Amino acid sequence: MTVAAAGAGRRYALLLAVNDSDYARKAHGGYRNVFFRALRSGEPDEAWDCYRVIDGEFPAAEDLGLYDGFVVSGSPHDAHGDGAPCWVRRLCLLLQTVHAMGKRVLGVCFGHQALCRALGGRVGRSPSGWDVGVKEVTFVDDLEWPFEFLPVEPPRNASIIEVHQDEVWEVPPGGKVLAYSDKTRVEMFAVGDNALGIQGHPEYTNDILLNLTNRLVNNSTIDGCVGEDARRTAESGEPDREFWTGLCKAFLRGSGCTGGGGAPRPPPQGPAPEISCSHHVAHFPATASPIGL
C-alpha cells in the first residue's frame, strides 16, 4: 500500500495477522474495523493504516518512521516453533526493528506471543489446553505500573475475552509480568514503556466470541464442553472492554510517543531470535487449517 506523508497528528499501523471470517465481514466490516473502532482515540488528525501481514503485506522500511505505534492482531497461526510461516518470522524481525526505534508496540493474543518471541522470550502450547470465554485476569500484587500517563492504577481484577491454546512461557529479558489468570501464567507483560503484550482480546465483543466459539466447535478444533463453557461465560456478562480498550489507547498515546515515536533505542544485541531460533520451545505438530479468527 502507498503511505501518505506524515501529518500533524499521530499515526498507527495495524498489522493484521488473521483473515476475515464471514461473520466479522458481515457484522463488523472485517477485523480491521473491529480494531479501529476499539482503539481510535477520536482525535480528528489521528491516522490508521492496515497491513495484512498474513498475506505478506508489510510496511516498507522507509515508512516505519512515519508511525508512532504498531498493533499486532490475533491469528489462527502459531507464533512459536521453527516451522512457523515465513510471514511470522518476518513479522518478528519487524517487531524487533520498531521496538529498537522506540516505537510503541501493542500485541494482542497471537501478537502478544509474537512480540514476546521477537524480543527474546519463549512461547509454546499451554499445558492446560484451550482457554475460551470471558475470563477474569488478575494483576500482580507488586505491580509497579510503568505507564505514568494512565490516570489510575488498574483494578485488582478485570475480565477479558480469551481464545487461545498457546501462551507466553517466559517473558523477554527485561520484561515484567503484569497480569495472570487461573489458566494462563502471563496474561500481560511489558518490556520498558514501549512494548505491551495482552493475551486476551480487548477489541472483541461477545457476539464475535459466540460466533467464533461455534465455528471452533463445528470444525472440531475445540471440544463441545469447552464451547459450552465459553458460551456460558458470555451469557453471564460482558467483559470489561471499556477498561481494556482505554488501557490500550493510553499505552499507544503515552508520553514520549509524538511525531515519530520518541528517541531511538540501541539495536538489540545478538542474532535475531526468529532467525537463530535459539530461544524457541520444542517444535509442535501443525495445528488444524487456519479458520480466520
Side-chain angles (χ1 to χ4, degrees):
M1 65 178 290
T2 301
V3 180
R10 299 177 189 270
R11 193 181 200 105
Y12 301 95
L14 171 63
L15 307 178
L16 207 57
V18 60
N19 292 313
D20 293 329
S21 66
D22 288 341
Y23 179 81
R25 190 162 41 247
K26 293 175 182 177
H28 297 277
Y31 286 115
R32 171 181 178 274
N33 286 340
V34 172
F35 271 97
F36 286 178
R37 289 172 187 147
L39 299 183
R40 275 176 168 160
S41 68
E43 297 176 2
D45 55 354
E46 181 178 287
W48 282 79
D49 297 320
C50 178
Y51 296 89
R52 295 186 177 273
V53 294
I54 191 172
D55 295 326
E57 183 185 28
F58 283 78
E62 60 268 24
D63 291 335
L64 298 181
L66 299 177
Y67 294 103
D68 294 285
F70 296 80
V71 178
V72 189
S73 77
S75 178
H77 292 276
D78 296 338
H80 62 77
D82 295 343
C86 179
W87 67 265
V88 174
R89 298 191 295 275
R90 186 178 174 188
L91 174 63
C92 287
L93 182 58
L94 172 64
L95 296 180
Q96 274 193 337
T97 300
V98 297
H99 180 259
M101 293 171 68
K103 304 295 184 178
R104 299 259 163 176
V105 184
L106 170 66
V108 172
C109 197
F110 162 88
H112 160 88
Q113 298 157 17
L115 179 60
C116 176
R117 171 180 176 172
L119 300 185
R122 300 176 66 236
V123 299
R125 287 282 189 270
S126 169
S128 58
W130 278 92
D131 193 11
V132 185
V134 181
K135 303 300 180 73
E136 186 174 87
V137 168
T138 301
F139 293 94
V140 297
D141 288 328
D142 60 343
L143 182 64
E144 295 178 3
W145 198 237
F147 310 123
E148 297 178 356
F149 51 84
L150 286 179
V152 295
E153 291 188 359
R156 180 73 178 115
N157 304 287
S159 61
I160 193 170
I161 292 175
E162 306 264 8
V163 186
H164 66 98
Q165 64 172 335
D166 297 340
E167 67 176 4
V168 167
W169 283 12
E170 180 181 317
V171 298
K176 180 176 178 60
V177 177
L178 303 179
Y180 62 92
S181 66
D182 290 342
K183 291 195 69 171
T184 303
R185 293 169 287 186
V186 183
E187 286 282 1
M188 185 165 72
F189 76 90
V191 180
D193 62 359
N194 73 321
L196 179 66
I198 299 175
Q199 180 57 72
H201 285 273
E203 81 284 8
Y204 272 11
T205 51
N206 273 4
D207 67 298
I208 295 176
L209 169 62
L210 290 170
N211 177 267
L212 178 53
T213 298
N214 290 339
R215 288 188 288 121
L216 292 172
V217 171
N218 291 340
N219 67 16
S220 301
T221 300
I222 62 175
D223 294 335
C225 59
V226 175
E228 188 58 38
D229 287 344
R231 295 186 194 98
R232 190 177 303 113
T233 65
E235 292 165 358
S236 298
E238 297 284 335
D240 293 317
R241 191 167 181 268
E242 184 176 354
F243 164 75
W244 288 105
T245 57
L247 183 152
C248 293
K249 291 176 185 179
F251 167 72
L252 289 171
R253 293 157 188 83
S255 57
C257 186
T258 58
R265 293 169 179 264
Q269 301 298 314
E274 77 287 353
I275 297 173
S276 71
C277 300
S278 60
H279 71 288
H280 293 170
V281 299
H283 177 62
F284 291 92
T287 56
S289 298
I291 58 173
L293 294 180

